[in-house]
Amino acid sequence: MANRQVLELEQSRITQLYDRLDTVRRRTAEALRAEYAKGTSGGTHQARVEREVSAKEHARRLAQLNAVERGLCFGRIDDVLEETLYIGRVGLRNDDHETILVDWRAPAARPFYAATPSYPGTLVRRRHLRTKGRTVVGVDDEVFDLDREDVEGGFVGEAALLAALRRRRTGRMGDVVATIQTEQDRVIRSGLHGTLVVEGGPGTGKTVAALHRAAYLLYAYRETLERRGVLVVGPNTTFLRYISQVLPSLGETDVVLAGVGDLFPGVTATADDEPFQAVIKGDLGMVEAVAWAVADRQRVPEGDLEIHVDGMDLVVPHHLCVQARDRARRSGRPHNVARKLVVLDLLRALAIDETAKLDRPADDDELAYIRKVLWHEPPVRAAIDALWPVVTPQELVRGMLGKAPGDPWTIGDIPLLDEAAELLGEEPAPARRDDDRAEQELFAREVLTVTGVEEVEAALLADWNATPGEEVTTAQRAERDRKWIYGHVIVDEAQELSAMAWRMIMRRIPTRSMTIVGDIGQTGSPAGATSWGEMLDPYVSWRGERLTVNYRTPKDVMDAAAEVLKEVAPDQEPPISVRPPEEPPRVVKATRAGLNDVLRAEIAAAADELLADGEGRLAIITSGDRHAEVASLVPEAVTLDPLDSPVALLTVTTSKGLEFDGVIVVWPEELAGRDLYVAMTRATRRLVLIHERELPPPLAGLDK
């Protein structure tokens, strides 16, 4: 069955489910209004309590139904008995009390998360549904018995690709498919504890396997992971959107999707560093540089500290200033927290000097009073601030790097901000604020005890009460809290992270329960990894799984790309491509002046041959330096949503982890070797290389 027919079939079901959701919502709202109409007075005490409990239950149910509008249903499973179940964010029944949508947490949904190629149980197929609003926009199948031809609707997506491979040849190809499934199975079922590195070249399905592993873990360990959440780190926002499309079921739990540039609350990186800057900022030597910058904000005067207050010159001897600074440093507290010790020591010394000058007794009560008075004197505060100021991470890092207040933050700045925040800490909040929070959490615990609710933490309920009308999820709390400890962390395209970025991520997962996905052969960042051990060994003992079969990239495209990899990273083994050639990579020579005509011709050809059914996608990939030039020629390809655009212009960096039916690489001779390897392997059907000067040596054979 064609993809369009499958979409129509599933759209019909999704429409029925949303119609039922609307009906249940309406009935629940009517029941809630009826309870409110009864009022709060009258009847026995028990009757009033029952009305209140009933109203709260209706209100809770209505809030739940309103919260599942987005992504109501995201999956379907078919078993050997030809029974079909749809899986979603909430359970729904029809008027005959038959289940039409299974809550993802229910036991009946377990096969959707637990089935793998080696252990499918009774499942024949698992289908992922991608929706936008109430419209089905994509379907992707995993079929556990590829020899079956009687599965309703046939195969689409990933399963269709594997089934085609199996049908195309016998013997060896059957073994290859089994290899793919076995390798992915090991990834998916690897335990929660410890760090798993999933390495595989282009087209091996490593991202899909890792995300299915995440879904499996989220189901199998949901009590742990719902409470602490899961962090998924990707190379860019486009890739993170791709992740949410590949595995919509990830969105049904508390998952935070973020790039490295989003991991410091309140700051978003909007610029890239020059290569030499990325190397410097990403090096662990920056740890010492940040520590030095903090220490530089902990000063003593060259001589005695002299402050003029109310016509009196108060003095703190130099040696006492040094003692105050050194005591604060020895405390081991962060800079802004240790500041209180400096303030107390200097105020005490000033108070003693004032009593001496006024010839008044220096008893404890008198000194305490004078300290309070002095602290409210602007000259005193200014003098102490000059010696040991309150410093924000942003102020510190801007000072280190010479950034002006309006300069944008870069990806490489974010780990520096995180390092600075660790050393600076936060200025202690007023005691009253702490008391209020403690009282809020105590009240929340009492409410939970009385109601018998066990699924909600007191801190979360306190947050809900602190922000009336706003539902605060675990993911929302985690995004706002730099110190949040996650239950599991997934890092995709992990080879791009610098040593400083790894240091930042490790703070968020002290249990080291991680899934790390990448390919050293595709490292593009100058601050990225040259080996996994280089980045991970300082923090964790890790285990690895390698995916060896490329079943997505046509063999002729992969063979050409492998020649590039052989030159730039001879120690890296390219994956074995098993997808038969569709058309050989083409090389087109063009001058700068003629580039527009050549591009237009290639886009027109792709529109006729790849994009005609409305489902294909074409990417034009070039270097960051040439992006503006090419954008001026094809402005319609400049888009903020390349995943939903038929033609998209991307840099190598923004194309990482994505794939397209057709790829046009503009000026491949200007791309660094690994970047060229990445750009070429984004293609799943057609690859065109448009060049002006001589092609890189590994591609010379394509020009003949």
Side-chain angles (χ1 to χ4, degrees):
M1 184 182 290
N3 280 6
R4 190 167 298 281
Q5 292 175 289
V6 173
L7 288 175
E8 291 173 356
L9 172 71
E10 298 300 354
Q11 182 62 62
S12 174
R13 181 68 177 197
I14 293 297
T15 300
Q16 292 175 17
L17 292 174
Y18 273 107
D19 287 345
R20 184 60 185 175
L21 176 66
D22 290 338
T23 298
V24 177
R25 277 176 177 163
R26 185 180 67 254
R27 291 176 180 175
T28 304
E30 290 171 352
L32 179 60
R33 285 195 296 270
E35 290 296 339
Y36 284 152
K38 295 177 182 178
T40 57
S41 60
T44 65
H45 173 71
Q46 180 176 348
R48 291 195 298 273
V49 170
E50 288 175 354
R51 283 200 299 270
E52 184 174 348
V53 169
S54 178
K56 287 184 176 179
E57 178 58 27
H58 287 312
R60 184 198 65 79
R61 176 63 170 166
L62 185 60
Q64 181 189 43
L65 293 171
N66 288 333
V68 299
E69 172 68 28
R70 177 180 172 275
L72 171 65
C73 175
F74 53 78
R76 161 182 167 170
I77 50 178
D78 301 273
D79 68 15
V80 295
L81 300 178
E82 300 184 357
E83 181 181 4
T84 296
L85 295 178
Y86 283 84
I87 314 298
R89 298 179 64 189
V90 69
L92 292 175
R93 294 175 181 270
N94 61 20
D95 286 333
D96 295 325
H97 302 288
E98 297 170 332
T99 297
I100 58 174
L101 183 64
V102 177
D103 190 307
W104 75 275
R105 291 162 286 249
R110 179 175 176 78
F112 182 83
Y113 292 93
T116 62
S118 299
Y119 303 94
T122 61
L123 286 199
V124 173
R125 173 175 59 192
R126 171 169 54 209
R127 171 169 286 177
H128 298 273
L129 306 175
R130 303 196 303 273
T131 58
K132 180 178 290 186
R134 296 188 171 195
T135 303
V136 180
V137 296
V139 176
D140 195 42
D141 281 347
E142 294 171 88
V143 176
F144 302 109
D145 185 353
L146 291 168
D147 292 322
R148 290 186 63 128
E149 299 289 346
D150 59 340
V151 178
E152 181 192 357
F155 304 151
V156 294
E158 195 88 354
L161 182 56
L162 291 178
L165 289 177
R166 181 180 284 276
R167 285 196 301 269
R168 198 167 277 126
R169 304 178 192 173
T170 59
R172 188 182 72 84
M173 191 52 63
D175 293 339
V176 166
V177 173
T179 298
I180 294 170
Q181 294 179 327
T182 300
E183 288 179 343
Q184 292 188 348
D185 191 72
R186 288 201 303 266
V187 170
I188 294 167
R189 285 188 169 267
S190 187
L192 173 67
H193 303 294
T195 297
L196 174 68
V197 175
V198 182
E199 184 166 23
T204 56
K206 57 185 179 295
T207 294
V208 173
L211 293 176
H212 286 322
R213 162 175 162 75
Y216 171 73
L217 294 177
L218 284 164
Y219 184 90
Y221 302 93
R222 64 179 180 271
E223 289 186 7
T224 298
L225 298 181
E226 279 184 336
R227 187 169 60 253
R228 299 310 313 171
V230 173
L231 172 65
V232 178
V233 180
N236 53 60
T237 54
T238 301
F239 183 78
L240 292 170
R241 278 199 60 237
Y242 171 69
I243 284 178
S244 67
Q245 289 187 6
V246 168
L247 199 62
S249 51
L250 275 179
E252 313 320 314
T253 58
D254 285 309
V255 176
V256 174
L257 299 176
V260 170
D262 305 315
L263 290 178
F264 192 87
V267 173
T268 299
T270 58
D272 293 319
D273 287 305
E274 293 295 330
F276 77 93
Q277 293 172 322
V279 171
I280 293 171
K281 291 180 181 180
D283 189 84
L284 287 178
M286 292 304 294
V287 174
E288 185 176 344
V290 175
W292 181 90
V294 173
D296 188 52
R297 271 70 172 177
Q298 302 167 354
R299 307 182 179 105
V300 294
E302 293 184 4
D304 296 339
L305 176 64
E306 299 180 0
I307 306 174
H308 187 76
V309 182
D310 287 340
M312 183 183 305
D313 291 323
L314 300 180
V315 178
V316 179
H318 180 263
H319 74 278
L320 291 182
C321 294
V322 173
Q323 286 180 13
R325 181 198 63 185
D326 292 348
R327 184 169 87 95
R329 285 179 171 177
R330 286 195 305 270
S331 72
R333 301 175 186 176
H335 172 90
N336 290 330
V337 179
R339 167 183 157 90
K340 183 177 181 179
L341 299 178
V342 176
V343 170
L344 291 175
D345 285 351
L346 294 181
L347 287 177
R348 178 176 176 81
L350 289 169
I352 290 174
D353 188 53
E354 179 175 319
T355 58
K357 284 183 168 61
L358 295 175
D359 196 23
R360 290 162 58 180
D363 58 71
D364 290 342
D365 290 340
E366 181 71 11
L367 291 176
Y369 172 75
I370 295 174
R371 287 203 308 269
K372 289 181 180 179
V373 173
L374 288 173
W375 182 236
H376 290 90
E377 293 288 345
V380 173
R381 286 214 177 197
I384 293 176
D385 286 345
L387 297 179
W388 195 294
V390 173
V391 183
T392 68
Q394 290 91 327
E395 290 169 343
L396 187 83
V397 174
R398 284 195 187 280
M400 286 177 60
L401 302 179
K403 280 180 174 286
D407 290 346
W409 295 104
T410 68
I411 299 291
D413 295 335
I414 301 303
L416 303 184
L417 288 168
D418 200 67
E419 187 73 24
E422 286 291 303
L423 298 181
L424 292 172
E426 298 177 2
E427 190 176 16
R432 180 67 220 162
R433 194 181 308 164
D434 292 341
D435 292 343
D436 289 345
R437 178 62 182 184
E439 186 175 335
Q440 291 168 0
E441 292 200 14
L442 176 61
F443 175 75
R445 280 194 295 271
E446 291 173 347
V447 170
L448 294 174
T449 300
V450 170
T451 58
V453 176
E454 299 178 351
E455 295 83 4
V456 180
E457 290 182 323
L460 181 57
L461 183 57
D463 283 341
W464 288 343
N465 291 331
T467 52
E470 179 185 1
E471 183 180 351
V472 182
T473 66
T474 297
Q476 289 170 329
R477 294 172 67 206
E479 284 181 303
R480 300 170 185 173
D481 186 355
R482 188 190 68 82
K483 296 181 180 180
W484 188 266
I485 302 301
Y486 289 91
H488 192 74
V489 169
I490 300 169
V491 185
D492 209 339
E493 298 294 331
Q495 73 277 356
E496 302 301 326
L497 270 62
S498 70
M500 286 298 293
W502 280 114
R503 183 175 170 89
M504 173 176 62
I505 286 174
M506 292 299 175
R507 292 192 184 103
R508 287 148 175 78
I509 186 72
T511 63
R512 303 296 190 255
S513 176
M514 305 177 72
T515 303
I516 295 170
V517 186
D519 177 17
I520 298 297
Q522 296 186 63
T523 302
S525 169
T530 57
S531 73
W532 295 119
E534 169 195 12
M535 295 298 186
L536 301 178
D537 287 351
Y539 304 102
V540 65
S541 296
W542 50 277
R543 62 191 187 278
E545 291 288 352
R546 183 169 183 83
L547 305 181
T548 61
V549 179
N550 179 336
Y551 58 96
R552 307 179 72 84
T553 309
K555 186 176 185 304
D556 45 8
V557 171
M558 193 63 227
D559 287 348
E563 292 300 313
V564 175
L565 182 66
K566 187 185 300 182
E567 178 170 284
V568 299
D571 58 324
Q572 295 296 311
E573 191 71 27
I576 301 169
S577 180
V578 296
R579 186 169 179 177
E582 299 218 1
E583 57 180 91
R586 284 194 295 110
V587 173
V588 180
K589 193 163 187 176
T591 63
R592 301 278 165 173
L595 177 60
N596 182 59
D597 292 339
V598 172
L599 268 178
R600 290 293 172 189
E602 292 297 335
I603 292 173
D608 291 338
E609 300 161 20
L610 299 179
L611 314 180
D613 59 2
E615 296 179 0
R617 291 185 302 145
L618 174 70
I620 303 169
I621 301 178
T622 190
S623 67
D625 292 339
R626 295 294 184 185
H627 185 271
E629 172 191 339
V630 179
S632 68
L633 302 178
V634 283
E636 71 275 15
V638 180
T639 173
L640 297 176
D641 197 5
L643 296 179
D644 293 330
S645 301
V647 182
L649 173 63
L650 301 167
T651 65
V652 176
T653 299
T654 55
S655 74
K656 275 189 179 292
L658 308 179
E659 59 183 34
F660 302 87
D661 297 274
V663 168
I664 301 172
V665 182
V666 179
W667 311 140
E669 65 270 32
E670 296 183 1
L671 294 177
R674 290 177 192 258
D675 283 350
L676 180 56
Y677 177 64
V678 170
M680 293 174 66
T681 54
R682 300 309 93 200
T684 61
R685 292 174 65 186
R686 172 181 296 177
L687 174 64
V688 178
L689 302 158
I690 301 177
H691 70 109
E692 180 182 34
R693 301 192 307 274
E694 187 176 345
L695 284 169
L699 300 181
L702 297 179
D703 207 13
K704 298 177 182 178

